[in-house]
Amino acid sequence: MTLVGAAEYSDGELSATASDDRVLVLDGIERTYTTGDVEVPALSDVHLTVRRGEYVSVVGPSGSGKSTLLNILGLLDRPTAGSYHFEGLEVADLDETDRTSVRGRRIGFVFQSFHLLSHRSVLENVTLSMLYTGAGPAERVERATAALESVGLAHRASFTPTRLSGGERQRVAVARAIVAEPALLLADEPTGNLDSHTSDAVLALFDELRTRGLTIVMITHDASIASRADRAVRIRDGRLTEVDAADMARAVAQIGQER
Amino acid sequence: MSWRDLATEAIAGLASRPARTLLTVLGTVLGIAALVATLGIAQTAGNRIVGNFSELEATSVEVTNDGGFWGSSSSRVAFPRDAEDRLRRLNGVSAVGAMGTVPIGEDLASAVKLDDPSGRNEFQIDVMAASPGLLEAVKGSLRTGRWFDAGHETRADDVVVLGPGAAAQLGVYRVDQQPVVFLGDRPFVVMGILEDVARQSNLLGAIIMPEATARKHYEYTSASTVQIDVQIGASELIGAQAPIALNPDNPDAYRVRTPPSPDALRNRVESDANALFLILGAVSLLVGAIGIANVTLVSVLERVGEIGLRRAVGARRRHIASQFLVESTAMGLVGGVMGATAGILIVVGLAAARDWTPVLSPLIPVGAPLLGALTGLVAGVYPSLRAASLEPVEALRSGT
Ligand SMILES: Nc1ncnc2c1ncn2[C@@H]1O[C@H](COP(=O)(O)OP(=O)(O)OP(=O)(O)O)[C@@H](O)[C@H]1O
Ligand SMILES: [Mg+2]
């Protein structure tokens, strides 16, 4: 790995110091999809700063660019233009291997469709996120067991996901996302496939993670879910705007109408 | 990522679809089994032929003076009278004997008259001359009596030994009364009757006398064949040395017949019987490889979501590629082991059915699984590269 030391980023504002609590800073991010001759601008001129321990929800109508933003935040995709500092490090122009390394060690994902391996046990599904980052087998099992405990599923460790309910599956996915102790937890509609009752259990889990100090960015359609976060940002036609606390209720109501 | 982790992931991938894995492996099993069985049967048969052959043939060197293909009796170069002594001195020679046909003209052979005036008692029987060492050189045995020795030769005694065929014709069964047989009017004392010879079977029907006796009474000038019994492994050497020892000035006058070398024989047997089966095995192996490639590719496409997830939790392209490569290699290895087992069972079964000793080079049980693994490895290259080239975002979007 050829990650440049954070100390080299000392150009004033963006320098990474011990006291800097900004997990990520997006500055003028653009992402344009090119299909044949057609150019689709999915994100344009996005500015966003997320601080350590913040719980941010991203709301917006379908096709507005929410998933695109999450992919860029998660280093799964690279922006066409702009700068992205993650933990003080410019990651927008990192090569594939280095992005993979940062992603594997520092970012956890929860997907709408769970993405569990159906033939592997719950425990193996959780240990999977430490498989490529150098932890030994014993340590992996120990940490995975602890993570399953914290989502209340230690007693299901040897089950395969096919025998779990939807809510339990998503909690396994959360355990997998947090087991490597990431700096950032990204969730794309984590309750999209769940009914309202099981959704509550999963959302309660996110609340608990936030109180433990985890930084969370969550995409959602649902107004009531967005209101659980400290802060909401809204995307419309690829443009991102802050929703201030006073406007929250109104914004939430508006999102409700948009759906 | 350690080798152990990689193996665990690959085996888990294969174990999640056991029926498919086994069916996929079948092509490789057939290919490897065909190759192993073909090679094993060839080696077993080759060993069998060489084994039969080596007892007698591999220790026989025969020198004749018939002058080769264009030879005529006028151009014959006589063997020296002390041929036996000259050759016995060579290292690797166990026994030497000279022999030749005695020209007895119109003479017929008869035994002492019995009380059978109506019975036919004169026969046309071949007469051969032989040196004292010949009995040993042809690995002959006597039914009764003795073979002549150096004394009979020097004295040119009028004695003969009968081949069993000649003895039966002449009605001679015992020699303790010193029976006499006549060639024309000339009497010879029968001193022994042969039981059998392993070489030069024309001796079995002949009347055999010492060479000196043949020279004394007939126009016998020289032996026509010198039979040498050599130690195992010495045939090539003796075959080269014998003509020189016999006639240093003109060794090319003689024709030497040595046994074909066992290696040449074995190779001949193995090569012509089996080219077809080897091709068959190679084709099955190719079909097996295509099967593995095909199924691995299908498995990559089915597991796009899994690939996306692994990329999201930090798997690099090469991690993905090596996982699928190890999966296909493991399938090939399993096919190789199963195929080698099946092939060896076929060889052992066939050999047992014919009471043969199964022979298999130790390279084969080791090499066959490796060949299977190599097949799987090669078959996995394209699917693995496809898997590794997937973009994480695309993979996560299309999979569940
Ligand atoms: N790979 C792609 N190629 C071309 N266009 C794309 C691609 N991915 C997304 N888009 C387009 O970019 C825009 C934003 O898509 P995105 O998936 O980010 O929306 P979203 O806000 O997540 O929507 P939803 O709420 O339905 O998931 C859409 O117009 C979409 O059609
Ligand atoms: Mg989306």
Side-chain angles (χ1 to χ4, degrees):
Chain A
M1 226 184 74
T2 55
L3 278 182
V4 188
E8 289 177 38
Y9 289 82
S10 50
D11 52 1
E13 200 194 6
L14 292 173
S15 69
T17 62
S19 62
D20 191 344
D21 65 348
R22 288 173 299 188
V23 173
L24 64 90
V25 179
L26 297 186
D27 195 11
I29 289 290
E30 319 233 326
R31 178 65 171 97
T32 306
Y33 292 111
T34 315
T35 349
D37 299 340
V38 191
E39 296 208 333
V40 183
L43 291 178
S44 23
D45 196 27
V46 170
H47 297 263
L48 176 68
T49 299
V50 176
R51 294 178 186 279
R52 201 168 304 283
E54 260 188 321
Y55 182 0
V56 180
S57 66
V58 180
V59 295
S62 183
S64 58
K66 301 185 297 293
S67 295
T68 304
L69 175 67
L70 195 93
N71 290 338
I72 286 172
L73 290 179
L75 303 180
L76 291 165
D77 195 12
R78 24 181 9 156
T80 3
S83 123
Y84 174 15
H85 281 76
F86 179 78
E87 295 195 295
L89 189 72
E90 175 58 84
V91 290
D93 48 12
L94 281 185
D95 68 17
E96 167 102 22
T97 312
D98 290 341
R99 276 191 296 137
T100 301
S101 183
V102 174
R103 187 201 308 142
R105 284 163 209 277
R106 305 301 295 155
I107 302 174
F109 295 89
V110 176
F111 305 98
Q112 180 174 353
S113 54
F114 317 138
H115 271 296
L116 297 173
L117 304 186
S118 54
H119 294 284
R120 311 295 291 274
S121 72
V122 162
L123 187 72
E124 286 174 321
N125 268 284
V126 177
T127 55
L128 188 74
S129 47
M130 294 173 285
L131 189 62
Y132 302 98
T133 50
E139 187 194 345
R140 291 205 294 262
V141 170
E142 195 180 309
R143 290 172 65 174
T145 311
L148 281 171
E149 204 128 3
S150 72
V151 301
L153 283 175
H155 59 299
R156 295 279 187 265
S158 63
F159 282 40
T160 53
T162 42
R163 295 170 60 197
L164 301 183
S165 73
E168 285 174 325
R169 288 183 202 187
Q170 195 60 298
R171 277 148 67 197
V172 172
V174 171
R176 181 183 63 199
I178 61 170
V179 69
E181 291 172 2
L184 175 66
L185 178 62
L186 296 174
D188 192 346
E189 309 246 15
T191 57
N193 283 4
L194 303 177
D195 61 40
S196 63
H197 179 68
T198 40
S199 288
D200 276 347
V202 170
L203 290 169
L205 186 57
F206 276 92
D207 292 343
E208 191 198 322
L209 293 176
R210 191 255 320 263
T211 57
R212 279 203 256 152
L214 201 66
T215 312
I216 303 171
V217 174
M218 181 194 285
I219 289 175
T220 181
H221 268 124
D222 194 313
S224 60
I225 295 171
S227 62
R228 279 171 171 250
D230 305 326
R231 195 180 137 201
V233 295
R234 192 172 137 204
I235 300 188
R236 184 163 222 166
D237 296 333
R239 294 186 180 276
L240 187 136
T241 47
E242 289 282 339
V243 183
D244 64 42
D247 287 348
M248 182 66 115
R250 197 164 51 83
V252 162
Q254 199 175 345
I255 293 159
Q257 286 160 18
E258 279 166 359
R259 285 178 76 195
Chain B
M1 197 187 187
S2 74
W3 275 106
R4 223 185 92 178
D5 292 338
L6 192 56
T8 309
E9 292 306 302
I11 289 167
L14 293 176
S16 63
R17 298 163 185 81
R20 180 201 288 186
T21 303
L22 279 180
L23 286 175
T24 309
V25 156
L26 212 57
T28 317
V29 173
L30 289 179
I32 296 282
L35 288 177
V36 168
T38 306
L39 292 174
I41 289 167
Q43 284 180 4
T44 301
N47 174 72
R48 172 74 188 159
I49 286 163
V50 172
N52 256 2
F53 154 94
S54 59
E55 292 296 328
L56 196 61
E57 302 277 303
T59 55
S60 170
V61 174
E62 195 184 305
V63 187
T64 57
N65 66 353
D66 58 10
F69 188 74
W70 301 107
S72 61
S73 52
S74 62
S75 71
R76 281 186 178 187
V77 174
F79 285 117
R81 290 189 187 183
D82 60 348
E84 236 181 66
D85 292 336
R86 293 190 188 206
L87 294 178
R88 226 196 312 269
R89 280 200 294 268
L90 298 178
N91 219 344
V93 171
S94 306
V96 193
M99 56 182 274
T101 305
V102 180
I104 55 165
E106 302 297 306
D107 285 354
L108 295 176
S110 58
V112 178
K113 306 271 183 294
L114 299 171
D115 286 340
D116 187 13
S118 62
R120 196 179 153 224
N121 54 17
E122 288 195 312
F123 306 92
Q124 200 176 348
I125 298 178
D126 288 342
V127 178
M128 317 272 302
S131 67
L134 188 71
L135 184 70
E136 214 189 321
V138 298
K139 293 189 182 292
S141 56
L142 288 165
R143 182 184 300 163
T144 179
R146 294 191 294 135
W147 182 259
F148 29 81
D149 58 26
H152 299 105
E153 174 73 26
T154 19
R155 294 189 301 271
D157 289 339
D158 289 345
V159 293
V160 293
V161 169
L162 301 181
Q169 272 184 303
L170 293 167
V172 178
Y173 301 103
R174 307 175 55 172
V175 296
D176 46 359
Q177 301 291 325
Q178 300 212 311
V180 169
V181 296
F182 295 89
L183 289 173
D185 294 330
R186 193 169 286 129
F188 294 86
V189 174
V190 179
M191 58 182 293
I193 298 175
L194 285 176
E195 168 79 39
D196 199 8
V197 294
R199 299 168 181 147
Q200 310 293 355
S201 58
N202 51 351
L203 290 172
L204 294 175
I207 297 169
I208 309 151
M209 62 178 65
E211 283 193 287
T213 313
R215 273 191 215 102
K216 186 173 76 182
H217 297 301
Y218 305 97
E219 283 178 16
Y220 177 84
T221 50
S222 157
S224 58
T225 301
V226 174
Q227 172 69 54
I228 313 171
D229 184 51
V230 302
Q231 283 156 17
I232 287 177
S235 60
E236 295 286 327
L237 182 70
I238 300 300
Q241 291 177 344
I244 301 166
L246 289 169
N247 192 342
D249 298 332
N250 189 10
D252 294 336
Y254 306 127
R255 270 208 308 167
V256 179
R257 202 183 317 154
T258 51
S261 85
D263 279 349
L265 197 74
R266 190 185 318 227
N267 288 342
R268 204 177 62 219
V269 171
E270 287 181 11
S271 62
D272 47 46
N274 302 295
L276 197 70
F277 278 99
L278 289 182
I279 291 171
L280 204 73
V283 169
S284 329
L285 205 56
L286 184 69
V287 172
I290 293 170
I292 292 179
N294 192 25
V295 169
T296 310
L297 194 59
V298 168
S299 147
V300 165
L301 298 180
E302 281 176 351
R303 288 154 71 186
V304 167
E306 174 186 333
I307 294 167
L309 175 76
R310 286 176 187 273
R311 295 302 310 274
V313 298
R316 299 184 189 174
R317 289 194 195 281
R318 64 180 172 83
H319 290 135
I320 302 296
S322 38
Q323 182 186 341
F324 285 97
L325 261 189
V326 170
E327 279 190 23
S328 69
T329 307
M331 281 200 275
L333 183 67
V334 168
V337 170
M338 286 167 61
T341 310
I344 290 170
L345 286 179
I346 290 171
V347 173
V348 170
L350 236 84
R354 297 203 184 179
D355 265 346
W356 290 3
T357 314
V359 175
L360 203 64
S361 151
L363 233 56
I364 288 177
V366 177
L370 287 183
L371 182 64
L374 184 72
T375 307
L377 183 73
V378 171
V381 168
Y382 175 68
S384 306
L385 291 180
R386 277 286 295 270
S389 69
L390 284 170
E391 290 297 333
V393 179
E394 306 295 326
L396 282 167
R397 200 203 325 272
S398 44
T400 45

